[in-house]
DNA sequence: ACCACCGCAA
């Protein structure tokens, strides 16, 4: 009888079927077994896994006799509910109230909580306690430590633990690979995957998504193709949403459409993660209608769905559309988050809706209790400075509760240039120069500012500093796709096979533009060029 | 009986 209950509880936990779980719980109570043996712990575990934290907690608190298994179950429930702070804050009661000792299961949950918080020092303390415990060789705890160090970007430490694992399974292998990939150590990540004895969907997904997160979309795509060739069955949609993200970053519309087909073929259209990624992909590829189409077909839109379409509209200069989408979203009862507001203020900034932008910034704080991040201040600053409210912008940069970073100063500086305020421009340039920026484009901006103010000695100072820093500037490029071929164009390139045709077209376009009253802005070209060449 | 690895928006 009881073993039957145990079996069924485990099945509910595995399938997250809370309906069945509650029914079983009722039967267990009716049979008078709800405090019998290990059944209470199993009930706690079942409720936790089914996402019913309150029920789990209730049973946990009612338990007359708690053991480490009860604790492991409730701590896991907190982790599962994405409340790692709670995991760590109730854990000390295990000693203080129940007088119990940690076991290896508890260690693993604590490490996991630390890794989702990237709590470096706390995690290291747990690691130390683990080494001193009576089971310092537990491979599962070591796996969780690999993940912890990798998430804290301490790859050397992660690797050290990884190497100490005797029986390496796919979990620790995946954690290590993902750690390398998302920290930009792409070649090491790929090499590690190649060394993996048995690669499953998890490992491939971890590597591919890590590569996308670190910006290596090309490698991500290649590996996705390789994974397909290996015949790995795509039994969950994780990797698909990553690879849609890669197409979005590459603005590769045809590729994105192919992936979309694959998604339909595999039956993952209804995954909200996948749909959100598709909305973003179509928007980034400038097919805003397709983005809208996918968005409209999402059954249960979440904040990310709305934010994706709002940002998409904003990026295409459709500020009014973005704002009315926002109103619609609020009407459905969803709460916008900080990313939504980045999109909204960005939208206002790009069409000069200054008052609306200011209003949204305040509303974010007052109505939604969101603390503005540096990014929000940067958006607001952009809004003010683009529209020529330079003094207000400078005041903001000085009074905001963040140390402005280089791009922030650069945004203000470029607005000074735009609005011809060279006095403020020079002031800000001096400030920025003293920060010794790393980005070559900032030096160009600095040089242009000083040149605009006729401060030629400063221009040469900037040039010298640039020379010392030995920048290797990547040439700008763009591309078009012709059938299956991609044709890449680099700035200043002179050897394209269709060169004459292209130059002819450019000349024609230039003439058309001038006819319609366009006056090219050559003020930023400061080399000694002939007028026409500028 | 209880633990660890992968997904979307800036």
């Amino acid at each position: 009888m009881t073993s039957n209950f145990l079996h069924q509880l485990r099945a509910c936990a595995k399938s997250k079927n809370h309906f069945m779980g509650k029914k079983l719980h009722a039967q267990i109570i009716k049979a008078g077994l709800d405090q019998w043996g290990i059944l209470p712990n199993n009930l706690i575990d079942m409720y936790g896994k089914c996402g019913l934290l309150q029920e789990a907690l209730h049973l946990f608190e009612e338990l007359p006799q708690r053991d480490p298994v009860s604790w492991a179950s409730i701590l896991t429930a907190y982790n599962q509910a994405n409340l790692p702070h709670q995991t760590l804050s109730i854990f000390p009661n295990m000693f203080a109230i129940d007088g119990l000792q940690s076991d290896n299961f508890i260690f693993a949950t604590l490490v996991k909580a630390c890794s989702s918080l990237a709590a470096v020092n706390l995690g290291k303390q747990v690691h130390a306690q683990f080494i001193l415990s009576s089971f310092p060789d537990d491979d599962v705890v070591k796996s969780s430590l690999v993940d912890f160090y990798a998430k804290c970007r301490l790859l050397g430490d992660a690797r050290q633990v990884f190497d100490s694992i005797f029986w390496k399974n796919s979990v620790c292998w995946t954690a290590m690979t993902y750690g390398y990939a998302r920290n930009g150590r792409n070649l090491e990540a790929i090499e590690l995957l190649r060394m993996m004895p048995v690669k499953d969907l998890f490992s491939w997904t971890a590597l591919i998504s890590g590569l996308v997160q670190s910006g290596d979309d090309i490698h991500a795509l290649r590996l996705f193709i390789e994974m397909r060739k290996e015949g790995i069955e795509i039994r969950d949609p994780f990797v698909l949403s990553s690879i849609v993200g890669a197409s979005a970053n590459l603005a590769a519309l045809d590729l994105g459409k192919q992936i979309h087909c694959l998604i339909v073929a595999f039956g993952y259209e209804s995954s909200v993660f996948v749909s959100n990624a598709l909305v973003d992909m179509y928007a980034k590829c400038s097919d805003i209608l397709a983005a809208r189409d996918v968005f409209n077909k999402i059954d249960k839109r979440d904040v990310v769905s709305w934010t994706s379409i709002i940002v998409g509209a904003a990026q295409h200069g459709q500020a009014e559309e973005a704002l009315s989408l926002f109103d619609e979203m609020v009407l459905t009862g969803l709460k916008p988050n900080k990313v939504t507001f980045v999109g909204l203020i960005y939208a206002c900034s790009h069409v000069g809706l200054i008052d609306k932008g200011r209003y949204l910034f305040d509303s974010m704080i007052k109505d939604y209790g969101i603390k503005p991040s540096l990014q929000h201040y940067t958006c607001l600053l952009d809004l003010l400075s683009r529209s020529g409210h330079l003094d207000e912008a400078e005041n903001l940069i000085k009074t905001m509760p963040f140390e402005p970073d280089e791009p922030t100063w650069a945004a203000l500086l470029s607005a000074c240039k735009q609005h011809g305020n060279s006095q403020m421009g020079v002031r800000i340039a001096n400030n920025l120069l003293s920060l010794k920026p790393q980005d070559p484009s900032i030096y160009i901006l600095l040089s242009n500012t000083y040149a605009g103010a006729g401060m030629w000695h400063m221009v040469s100072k900037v040039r010298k500093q640039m020379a010392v820093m030995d920048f290797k500037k990547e040439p700008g490029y763009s591309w078009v796709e012709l059938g299956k071929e991609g044709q890449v164009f680099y700035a200043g390139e002179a050897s394209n096979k269709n060169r004459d045709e292209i130059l002819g077209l450019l000349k024609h376009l230039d003439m058309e533009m001038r006819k319609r009253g366009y006056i090219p802005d050559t003020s930023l070209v400061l080399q000694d060029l002939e007028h026409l060449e500028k």
Side-chain angles (χ1 to χ4, degrees):
Chain A
M1 184 65 162
T2 50
S3 82
N4 198 15
F5 278 140
L6 280 175
H7 239 99
Q8 296 190 58
L9 279 175
R10 275 193 59 80
C12 291
K14 204 174 165 197
S15 61
K16 301 186 197 306
N17 184 346
H18 68 269
F19 187 76
M20 262 312 281
K22 279 191 160 168
K23 215 166 129 182
L24 268 170
H25 187 187
Q27 289 172 3
I28 289 169
I29 293 172
K30 268 176 87 177
L33 293 170
D34 58 312
Q35 296 296 342
W36 193 90
I38 59 173
L39 275 176
N41 283 344
N42 271 273
L43 280 164
I44 294 170
D45 181 53
M46 181 277 294
Y47 277 124
K49 297 254 164 63
C50 293
L52 299 173
L53 179 61
Q54 284 315 314
E55 279 81 350
L57 198 57
H58 184 72
L59 290 180
F60 178 80
E61 281 165 354
E62 301 287 300
L63 261 188
Q65 192 74 5
R66 288 187 285 256
D67 61 15
V69 178
S70 333
W71 278 94
S73 305
I74 199 69
L75 293 174
T76 308
Y78 275 116
N79 277 346
Q80 172 114 355
N82 213 352
L83 297 166
H85 277 293
Q86 310 272 41
T87 308
L88 296 172
S89 67
I90 65 156
F91 154 72
N93 291 335
M94 188 176 164
F95 313 104
I97 297 177
D98 292 352
L100 297 165
Q101 284 282 318
S102 286
D103 64 8
N104 43 341
F105 289 79
I106 308 270
F107 275 120
T109 57
L110 295 178
V111 174
K112 185 183 161 72
C114 291
S115 81
S116 33
L117 294 168
V120 183
N121 292 329
L122 204 53
K124 284 182 173 174
Q125 289 179 44
V126 177
H127 189 179
Q129 291 296 328
F130 165 64
I131 292 171
L132 295 172
S133 74
S134 46
F135 29 79
D137 298 314
D138 187 286
D139 282 349
V140 173
V141 179
K142 284 186 185 173
S143 272
S144 69
L145 283 165
V146 171
D147 178 58
F148 161 74
Y149 283 118
K151 294 237 163 86
C152 296
R153 325 195 65 156
L154 299 168
L155 293 173
D157 297 278
R159 186 61 193 242
Q160 214 177 327
V161 180
F162 176 78
D163 287 336
S164 81
I165 297 177
F166 191 74
W167 298 107
K168 294 184 180 58
N169 64 7
S170 114
V171 174
C172 67
W173 216 292
T174 302
M176 193 66 234
T177 309
Y178 184 61
Y180 280 130
R182 64 181 233 146
N183 285 293
R185 310 257 293 251
N186 304 349
L187 298 178
E188 283 152 290
I190 295 169
E191 196 187 339
L192 199 64
L193 181 97
R194 302 235 180 276
M195 283 161 56
M196 216 174 147
V198 184
K199 311 178 205 17
D200 59 11
L201 177 63
F202 248 60
S203 2
W204 284 99
T205 305
L207 176 60
I208 291 168
S209 70
L211 290 172
V212 175
Q213 281 172 40
S214 71
D216 192 349
D217 306 294
I218 300 285
H219 269 122
L221 277 165
R222 286 200 186 128
L223 284 155
F224 179 70
I225 292 165
E226 195 181 324
M227 182 192 103
R228 299 277 297 137
K229 281 186 183 154
E230 294 269 319
I232 302 287
E233 191 195 344
I234 300 185
R235 54 173 80 247
D236 72 39
F238 280 61
V239 73
L240 294 171
S241 44
S242 278
I243 215 70
V244 172
S247 329
N249 297 339
L250 292 166
L253 182 58
D254 282 336
L255 180 75
K257 283 180 179 170
Q258 288 182 43
I259 312 278
H260 192 169
C261 290
L262 211 57
I263 287 163
V264 175
F266 283 127
Y268 289 120
E269 287 166 285
S270 54
S271 157
V272 71
F273 274 98
V274 170
S275 303
N276 293 349
L278 284 170
V279 170
D280 181 56
M281 184 276 291
Y282 281 118
K284 293 240 167 73
C285 294
S286 292
D287 194 340
I288 194 80
L289 291 176
R292 193 56 201 248
D293 199 42
V294 175
F295 175 80
N296 288 338
K297 286 180 180 144
I298 303 177
D299 256 350
K300 284 203 160 134
R301 300 182 191 111
D302 63 9
V303 200
V304 178
S305 322
W306 286 96
T307 304
S308 302
I309 194 75
I310 287 171
V311 169
Q315 282 166 347
H316 289 84
Q318 304 176 351
E320 298 294 347
E321 178 73 5
L323 293 169
S324 77
L325 279 162
F326 174 63
D327 292 337
E328 243 184 277
M329 168 185 175
V330 173
L331 279 177
T332 67
L334 269 174
K335 268 181 81 122
N337 65 18
K338 51 163 82 171
V339 185
T340 320
F341 281 101
V342 170
L344 290 167
I345 301 169
Y346 177 86
C348 294
S349 169
H350 281 247
V351 294
L353 290 170
I354 304 140
D355 291 332
K356 185 73 184 175
R358 277 203 198 101
Y359 167 80
L360 284 164
F361 188 87
D362 293 336
S363 165
M364 170 177 82
I365 303 167
K366 280 206 300 272
D367 303 331
Y368 296 98
I370 297 170
K371 215 175 127 200
S373 66
L374 175 59
Q375 204 180 7
H376 294 111
Y377 282 103
T378 307
C379 277
L380 184 62
L381 192 94
D382 199 49
L383 173 90
L384 295 171
S385 53
R386 271 170 189 268
S387 56
H389 296 66
L390 293 175
D391 291 323
E392 200 182 337
E394 194 184 16
N395 189 40
L396 180 73
I397 210 171
K398 282 181 180 158
T399 54
M400 66 186 190
F402 291 96
E403 203 52 50
D405 58 6
E406 290 163 16
T408 311
W409 284 113
L412 183 53
L413 181 52
S414 120
C416 290
K417 185 101 193 92
Q418 200 71 35
H419 290 92
N421 187 338
S422 72
Q423 208 185 356
M424 187 190 288
V426 168
R427 189 160 71 232
I428 289 166
N430 290 340
N431 213 330
L432 191 51
L433 189 60
S434 69
L435 294 174
K436 299 216 184 308
Q438 294 299 310
D439 180 357
S441 67
I442 289 184
Y443 284 89
I444 309 286
L445 184 60
L446 285 170
S447 162
N448 289 340
T449 305
Y450 289 125
M455 298 166 69
W456 301 106
H457 61 290
M458 288 306 285
V459 172
S460 75
K461 187 175 166 185
V462 171
R463 298 270 154 177
K464 271 178 201 147
Q465 195 163 331
M466 268 182 94
V468 171
M469 315 250 323
D470 188 28
F471 288 127
K472 290 183 186 62
K473 186 164 172 5
E474 294 221 359
Y477 65 92
S478 183
W479 72 91
V480 292
E481 286 173 31
L482 292 166
K484 286 185 178 177
E485 299 280 314
Q487 173 70 59
V488 182
F489 303 91
Y490 287 94
E493 181 181 41
S495 60
N496 192 285
K497 64 178 175 192
N498 299 321
R499 179 169 188 265
D500 292 340
E501 205 181 328
I502 292 167
L503 286 179
L505 180 65
L506 280 175
K507 206 169 197 169
H508 176 73
L509 285 172
D510 186 54
M511 261 162 50
E512 274 303 312
M513 282 158 71
R514 282 168 202 266
K515 244 192 262 171
R516 296 174 192 205
Y518 171 73
I519 301 157
D521 177 11
T522 54
S523 65
L524 294 182
V525 183
L526 294 158
Q527 293 163 8
D528 292 329
L529 299 176
E530 290 304 310
H531 191 67
L532 196 63
E533 204 173 346
K534 284 184 180 177

